[in-house]
Amino acid sequence: MPFDYDLVIIGAGSGGIAAAERAAGYGVRVAIAEQAKVGGACINYGCIPEKLLDYAASYKQLDKLASSYGWDKVARHFHWSHFVDAKNRHLQHLNELHLHNLQHSGAKLIQGQAAFLDAHTVLIADRPVTADKILIAVGAKPLIPEIPGIECAITWRELYNLPAQPKHLAILGSDPIGVKVAGSMNELETHVTQIIAGDCVLAELDAEIGKRIQDKMIQQGVQIFSHSYVEKIERIGDRFCLKLSGKYTDSVIVDTVFVDAPRKPNLENLNLEQVGIQRTPSGAIQVDEFSRTTHVNVFAVGDCTDRIPLTPSAIAQARAFADTEFGGQPQMVSYDWVPISISSHPEAATVGLSEAQAREKYGDAVQCYRTQFRPLFYCLSQLNEKSLLKVVVNRDDAERILGVHMLGEGSVEMIQTLAIALSLGATKQNLDRAIGIHPSSAEELFSM
């Protein structure tokens, strides 16, 4: 039977847009369904506004440094509403840019919620649309904990559009989003209290880096309650009272509660059971290395699967899918050396295995090299800012590098570049023989 389209994509986030544009480039008839703004979580309430907030917060420290370099001291005040307006204008520009690129590629955007009727038909805004192949790229959403009064809390979807800057912000959770928000809001002079279940934030990172970040957060004024839980949230006028249990049992009074919740695949209302799409134990869509689901013509990419939940990962999967299915170039995505950044204050980044992961896999063959240094950028100031570089190697394999972790100025750009070298099998000896740029933080990597 003839289909309306060769490919229908559900979700116009980073993965969906990348798949649409790549597939359309092969001459494929593509439609992409989206019920909200194009760009998905990353653009509209995730990576981009989060990084813009980080940039806004960084000016506080730059002001401190400026006088050390001969600049007059000036009184500054951060205006939350000005930031929100500027941020919204930029996000609108990105939305329009993605719409333009989709139109230019020839892909058809259809606004509305999509749900499966059968393996080749989806209902979009009450209109059945058929396709030879269907790609699910719906991302994930926060998994809100079941706490009495949790309806008073916000997530990253609402944070960047608050009408006023919070005076006292409580953050529930210790994952990267919460740490980024805590650092930025604290720098912008919001009082921040972070409540975490474990001993330290960022449990998935190398423990030494996570500990250094937490120590720095506390030094900068973030209040962290470890081994603690929120039992109940009560509204008191225009404020909220958090009843705690665990190590800390005092109540906390704040004006805004932010939930740094883990995310779950955004699969409600898709009617996946109608076509027999199987899920993993975590509830994500089950896929193979080519993004195929358990139904032969249905595929999935991005955060609705169990693969690395990062925007570049979703884009890579989407393009590999299009190349494989429509370009005659079977492609699999490697997840071995994916760099991860944390917009903490100072920033951090990591690639490869943590020390604990390496020791679990290679035991006593693991050796770690560390260096701590003060970047030249801070040397004219009274700020005692230190960077940390840590390299994890396998001594039994010519000191092949297993992971690199960094905290401090330039971490993100350095680790991003190193990821390529590590994927090619770089060793500690390769680093020792390299000649660095002087003066730079990167040269410290070559003289450990």
Side-chain angles (χ1 to χ4, degrees):
M1 62 174 281
F3 296 109
D4 297 328
Y5 297 94
D6 301 310
L7 172 66
V8 163
I9 301 170
I10 304 175
S14 300
I17 290 172
E21 293 177 358
R22 181 63 64 91
Y26 290 120
V28 171
R29 297 174 303 142
V30 181
I32 183 167
E34 176 57 62
Q35 59 179 330
K37 292 182 178 180
V38 298
C42 180
I43 286 178
N44 294 301
Y45 41 82
C47 317
I48 299 300
E50 169 191 285
K51 191 61 181 178
L52 293 175
L53 187 70
D54 170 54
Y55 288 146
S58 69
Y59 281 95
K60 180 180 178 182
Q61 188 171 69
L62 289 175
D63 266 356
K64 292 180 182 177
L65 288 162
S67 61
S68 302
Y69 280 87
W71 290 88
D72 290 336
K73 291 185 178 181
V74 294
R76 296 185 188 271
H77 180 71
F78 176 71
H79 296 274
W80 176 265
S81 60
H82 293 183
F83 165 75
V84 171
D85 289 344
K87 179 266 301 179
N88 286 341
R89 286 194 298 272
H90 182 62
L91 299 191
Q92 180 63 30
H93 167 71
L94 294 179
N95 292 144
E96 292 171 355
L97 183 62
H98 278 304
L99 282 170
H100 170 77
N101 290 342
L102 281 173
Q103 291 169 356
H104 182 72
S105 73
K108 169 71 172 178
L109 176 66
I110 305 175
Q111 290 287 161
Q113 167 71 44
F116 280 91
L117 293 179
D118 59 47
H120 288 282
T121 310
V122 290
L123 189 67
I124 308 174
D126 298 324
R127 171 194 162 196
V129 178
T130 62
D132 182 32
K133 292 180 171 64
I134 298 173
L135 175 68
I136 305 169
V138 293
K141 65 180 182 179
L143 178 60
I144 306 301
E146 295 183 359
I147 298 172
I150 196 64
E151 67 277 2
C152 300
I154 64 171
T155 68
W156 61 336
R157 288 176 179 260
E158 298 83 29
L159 175 68
Y160 306 107
N161 287 310
L162 289 175
Q165 180 179 345
K167 293 182 175 63
H168 189 170
L169 174 68
I171 297 176
L172 283 55
S174 61
D175 287 343
I177 292 173
V179 169
K180 296 172 187 179
V181 170
S184 293
M185 296 303 291
N186 178 69
E187 286 292 289
L188 295 172
E189 301 185 354
T190 289
H191 180 50
V192 177
T193 298
Q194 190 160 9
I195 301 153
I196 66 176
D199 181 59
C200 190
V201 298
L202 303 170
E204 298 301 316
L205 285 192
D206 183 86
E208 191 169 356
I209 297 295
K211 179 66 164 56
R212 294 289 186 100
I213 290 175
Q214 178 162 305
D215 289 346
K216 191 65 178 177
M217 291 171 67
I218 294 171
Q219 178 186 330
Q220 291 170 340
V222 177
Q223 184 179 39
I224 297 181
F225 291 162
S226 60
H227 298 290
S228 299
Y229 309 87
V230 175
E231 294 290 331
K232 186 178 183 181
I233 303 172
E234 293 181 343
R235 181 186 289 274
I236 304 175
D238 59 354
R239 307 186 77 191
F240 303 99
C241 177
L242 279 61
K243 305 287 188 180
L244 304 185
S245 65
K247 182 178 179 181
Y248 295 90
T249 56
D250 295 337
S251 296
V252 179
I253 306 294
V254 302
D255 60 3
T256 308
V257 183
F258 177 86
V259 181
D260 176 22
R263 297 189 300 157
K264 66 174 182 178
N266 188 23
L267 303 177
E268 286 82 358
N269 305 317
L270 284 183
N271 203 21
L272 294 181
E273 59 280 358
Q274 182 71 22
V275 287
I277 302 298
Q278 293 184 17
R279 303 198 199 183
T280 66
S282 70
I285 296 176
Q286 181 178 319
V287 292
D288 66 9
E289 62 271 25
F290 292 104
S291 296
R292 292 179 292 222
T293 70
T294 48
H295 204 291
V296 66
N297 73 295
V298 180
F299 304 78
V301 298
D303 294 0
C304 62
T305 70
D306 268 337
R307 295 171 290 192
I308 297 176
L310 297 171
T311 293
S313 173
I315 292 172
Q317 294 163 28
R319 290 173 176 167
F321 153 76
D323 291 340
T324 300
E325 295 300 318
F326 304 108
Q329 308 167 59
Q331 300 285 332
M332 290 188 294
V333 177
S334 172
Y335 305 97
D336 291 336
W337 299 103
V338 178
I340 297 172
S341 69
I342 306 293
S343 300
S344 49
H345 291 263
E347 70 182 22
T350 180
V351 63
L353 300 180
S354 67
E355 180 180 351
Q357 291 169 331
R359 292 195 183 282
E360 183 178 352
K361 190 171 184 178
Y362 298 103
D364 292 338
V366 171
Q367 181 170 344
C368 295
Y369 294 87
R370 297 172 181 82
T371 183
Q372 182 170 280
F373 58 96
R374 189 183 190 194
L376 181 62
F377 183 58
Y378 297 105
C379 287
L380 298 187
S381 76
Q382 299 302 311
L383 297 177
N384 188 29
E385 293 291 337
K386 296 288 184 68
S387 291
L388 172 68
L389 258 171
K390 178 176 181 179
V391 178
V392 183
V393 306
N394 183 352
R395 287 180 300 188
D396 290 348
D397 187 17
E399 288 202 310
R400 193 166 305 280
I401 300 171
L402 303 173
V404 182
H405 315 281
M406 183 175 179
L407 173 67
E409 179 200 1
S411 299
V412 172
E413 301 299 337
M414 285 175 58
I415 295 298
Q416 169 74 81
T417 305
L418 277 172
I420 300 173
L422 270 58
S423 71
L424 297 174
T427 66
K428 178 64 167 56
Q429 189 177 62
N430 294 142
L431 296 184
D432 295 341
R433 290 177 175 175
I435 298 176
I437 294 174
H438 178 75
S440 68
S441 292
E443 68 179 320
E444 298 289 340
L445 186 67
F446 309 132
S447 59
M448 297 179 72

